[in-house]
Amino acid sequence: MTFAAAFCFALCASVHRSPSIIQQQHPLPSHMFHSSVSRLARRSALLASRSMSDAVPAFPVEASIRAKLSQQFEPAYLDVINESHMHNVPANSETHFKVVVVSSQFDDIAMPVKRHRLINTALAEEMEGPVHALSIVAKTPTQWEKMIADGKAIPASPSCRGGDGSLPKK
């Protein structure tokens, strides 16, 4: 339930318990007052019944990447990391990503570059539009388990080097 829905729901509940407080501040004929409260209660119930999937995601590109990779590869593990904050872009941008995809679909694909091509193909629309850079880690479940058992971590992405020359030299 969203904050707005919860607030409306609580307001309606309190008005039904003691309508005289609100009526004193906003005098309305009783039938109009209760009709307005009923409409507000129905609206609150509608808002409360909506699932979070109906809402527009805060980061739509990240959500699209996650959905497409989940559908295409049915991963045992998936992480989509927005690394845009590490680059010379406006706040809350969705231009630079790292994806970690662990899927049994990679079992028969030994070459990492072929796995990367599959992921790039799945995300072609994003790569044509808002995504400027995509770092890919594509592993089989066996490789992933060995990596974890050996205590190896996903390598950190390099810092932005100011590719367009706009950043000051360090």
Side-chain angles (χ1 to χ4, degrees):
M1 180 183 308
T2 65
F3 173 76
F7 177 77
C8 288
F9 189 76
L11 177 65
C12 289
S14 66
V15 167
H16 278 292
R17 282 194 300 272
S18 57
S20 60
I21 295 170
I22 304 278
Q23 278 183 303
Q24 289 169 2
Q25 294 173 355
H26 303 285
L28 286 173
S30 181
H31 71 282
M32 289 178 68
F33 175 79
H34 289 290
S35 174
S36 297
V37 170
S38 294
R39 277 196 304 278
L40 186 57
R42 283 193 303 273
R43 174 85 174 129
S44 298
L46 176 65
L47 287 172
S49 70
R50 288 185 181 166
S51 70
M52 290 305 287
S53 63
D54 292 342
V56 175
F59 295 99
V61 177
E62 182 178 338
S64 175
I65 290 171
R66 188 174 301 283
K68 286 181 179 181
L69 293 177
S70 293
Q71 181 180 14
Q72 182 76 30
F73 298 103
E74 299 173 358
Y77 177 82
L78 173 65
D79 198 4
V80 179
I81 305 160
N82 185 345
E83 296 183 331
S84 301
H85 66 280
M86 297 167 52
H87 299 275
N88 190 22
V89 296
N92 297 320
S93 291
E94 291 188 287
T95 55
H96 297 71
F97 287 91
K98 176 186 281 188
V99 296
V100 180
V101 184
V102 178
S103 175
S104 59
Q105 292 184 26
F106 299 141
D107 284 340
D108 297 331
I109 305 169
M111 294 181 65
V113 70
K114 289 185 178 182
R115 296 175 187 177
H116 290 208
R117 286 180 183 149
L118 288 172
I119 291 171
N120 278 318
T121 300
L123 301 177
E125 185 179 350
E126 288 76 9
M127 294 303 293
E128 286 292 320
V131 176
H132 167 74
L134 181 65
S135 173
I136 300 171
V137 177
K139 302 285 185 190
T140 67
T142 305
Q143 290 171 323
W144 181 252
E145 289 167 12
K146 182 176 181 343
M147 200 172 98
I148 290 173
D150 292 346
K152 294 183 181 174
I154 300 296
S157 296
S159 297
C160 179
R161 298 179 69 186
D164 66 356
S166 64
L167 292 178
K169 301 285 184 216
K170 290 186 178 181

